């Protein structure tokens, strides 16, 4: 892989990883509601799940999903339903104490599984396989180069969003611990997930 290709990969990774999406939205919400430490399992789950997704796309699953419209729609519908369910859970967290009482709890394995119904994750994986791996010389070597770079981007971007959410935690508690700001913050985060779900239906 020459430096021009690698630079293009970094540009794509930066744009896709740090722009808002289901993962970064949930990282922010978990950081704000649970605190930075409790958001870390999800932050770690994102690169694990996405890394597996990239591997199976490189092995041919991505081409199969693109070629069979029924499979593409299945991914979309499951993804939309899951995002709407997550949006509901986020919107129900109205106080930090309620959030800690399991109103907003996304496990490591749920975070990893989310990547397989996340259209943005699929788009990135398919773009990388088609643009940097498939049909090129030494595809295994290219995959070995691309994979750690993308895993690092997935981890760092979600870590930054979770940290940003956790830094807002005290402010979101509001005057006298009313939690009013937190409620509106969670409504906004839930709204972002709903908009993302609607967007997924039309791409």
């Amino acid at each position: 892989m020459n430096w021009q290709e690698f630079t293009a990969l970094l540009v794509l990774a930066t744009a896709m990883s740090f722009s808002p999406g289901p993962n970064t939205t949930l990282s922010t919400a978990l950081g704000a509601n649970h605190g930075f430490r409790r958001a870390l399992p999800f932050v770690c789950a994102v690169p694990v799940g996405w890394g597996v997704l990239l591997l199976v796309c490189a092995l041919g699953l991505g081409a199969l999903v693109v070629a069979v419209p029924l499979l593409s729609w299945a991914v979309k519908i499951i993804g939309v339903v899951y995002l709407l369910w997550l949006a509901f859970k986020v919107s129900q967290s109205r106080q930090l104490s309620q959030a800690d009482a399991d109103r907003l709890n996304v496990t490591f394995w749920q975070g990893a599984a989310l990547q397989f119904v996340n259209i943005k994750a699929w788009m990135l994986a398919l773009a990388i396989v088609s643009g940097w791996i498939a049909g090129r010389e030494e595809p295994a070597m290219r995959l070995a180069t691309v994979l750690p770079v993308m895993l690092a981007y997935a981890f760092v971007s979600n870590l930054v969003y979770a940290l940003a959410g956790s830094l807002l935690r005290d402010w979101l508690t509001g005057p006298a611990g009313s939690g009013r700001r937190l409620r509106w913050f969670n409504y906004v985060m839930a709204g972002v997930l709903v908009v993302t779900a609607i967007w997924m239906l039309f791409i």
Side-chain angles (χ1 to χ4, degrees), residues 124-167:
L124 179 57
L126 292 172
I128 288 174
V129 170
S130 62
W132 281 266
I133 298 171
R136 304 297 185 103
E137 293 183 2
E138 299 183 332
M141 183 65 69
R142 284 176 168 268
L143 179 60
T145 302
V146 168
L147 183 59
V149 172
M150 298 308 302
L151 295 184
Y153 266 89
F155 176 75
V156 172
S157 62
N158 283 279
L159 190 72
V160 168
Y161 275 87
L163 180 60
S166 68
L167 291 175

Side-chain angles (χ1 to χ4, degrees), residues 108-126:
F108 176 90
W109 296 112
Q110 285 176 328
L114 172 62
Q115 308 317 305
F116 286 84
V117 292
N118 179 353
I119 295 300
K120 185 180 177 185
W122 275 97
M123 289 172 60
L124 179 57
L126 292 172

